[in-house]
Amino acid sequence: MSGFIRDSKYYGDRLVYEPLESKWRRYHATHCGCGGDWLEDHAVPAGFTVLPRGKSGYYGLVGPGLTEGVDESRLTTNALWEAVTRQPGTQDWFESVEVVDRSEAAEAQRKAHNDAYYGQRREESAARKKAAAATSATPAQARYLLTLAQKAGDEQFTAQFAKAIKGTVIKPRGPKEGAQVAIARLTKAAATKLISALADGDAS
């Protein structure tokens, strides 16, 4: 989200405007369309300065009419809008300022929240991978199926593959999908069903 912010960790005591890149790129393309870059070709020449937010790739802007020489109770992005779109800004509502608390207690709370959030994400990802591994066709099944597929021929393999996955969420074999790739997508149950069908056909 874009907005006005005070964050002593990244910007010292300066008020900055953190733009949402995709939003301002879209504004520029829609209302200017010069083919240039909204930041380098418009904002910077108009007197706005880019302040990187550490090494994150995000940044803040400061400049006249946006964060300098303004009443902080009446903040708008009209000055930046005019620089980027070459049209007068018409924003008639005022934006608030987010103040990031960088006290030791607040930083510790943020770290604990991030550790808990990303720790849960890692656990969920590991659980999904474990579940997928538990239901996927085993290496032995895959090797045997590949042998059976080569004996059966492409047409027969495709037909039996379609029957084996019927009623499951497994997608049909693609027109250019190799047998080995298709087999790798099977569950143990589907692989067992396909092995049975192909092995029966091989024995007949």
Side-chain angles (χ1 to χ4, degrees), residues 14 16-17 39 43-44 46-52 59-64 66-68:
R14 303 183 79 169
V16 307
Y17 175 73
L39 185 62
V44 173
F48 296 100
T49 301
V50 178
L51 302 179
Y59 57 90
L61 294 177
V62 294
L66 183 68
T67 64
E68 297 171 356

Side-chain angles (χ1 to χ4, degrees), residues 169-192:
V169 296
I170 302 170
K171 293 182 179 180
R173 185 186 181 195
K176 297 182 179 180
E177 186 177 30
Q180 187 171 5
V181 175
I183 290 168
R185 299 193 288 105
L186 294 174
T187 61
K188 286 180 181 177
T192 299

Side-chain angles (χ1 to χ4, degrees), residues 37-134:
D37 180 78
W38 75 271
L39 185 62
E40 294 299 327
D41 295 338
H42 291 270
V44 173
F48 296 100
T49 301
V50 178
L51 302 179
R53 196 173 83 182
K55 297 180 180 180
S56 64
Y58 294 97
Y59 57 90
L61 294 177
V62 294
L66 183 68
T67 64
E68 297 171 356
V70 295
D71 180 347
E72 288 193 25
S73 66
R74 300 171 65 85
L75 293 172
T76 72
T77 59
N78 283 335
L80 183 60
W81 176 271
E82 185 166 353
V84 171
T85 69
R86 305 184 189 278
Q87 300 176 27
T90 58
Q91 183 178 342
D92 57 1
W93 69 93
F94 304 122
E95 302 194 28
S96 58
V97 179
E98 178 187 1
V99 178
V100 180
D101 183 357
R102 292 295 179 181
S103 66
E104 187 175 332
E107 290 286 82
Q109 184 177 10
R110 257 191 300 276
K111 183 179 185 304
H113 175 270
N114 288 339
D115 288 347
Y117 175 76
Y118 289 108
Q120 183 178 355
R121 292 281 296 272
R122 286 192 293 270
E123 289 177 3
E124 291 172 350
S125 177
R128 284 194 297 271
K129 290 179 181 178
K130 186 176 180 180

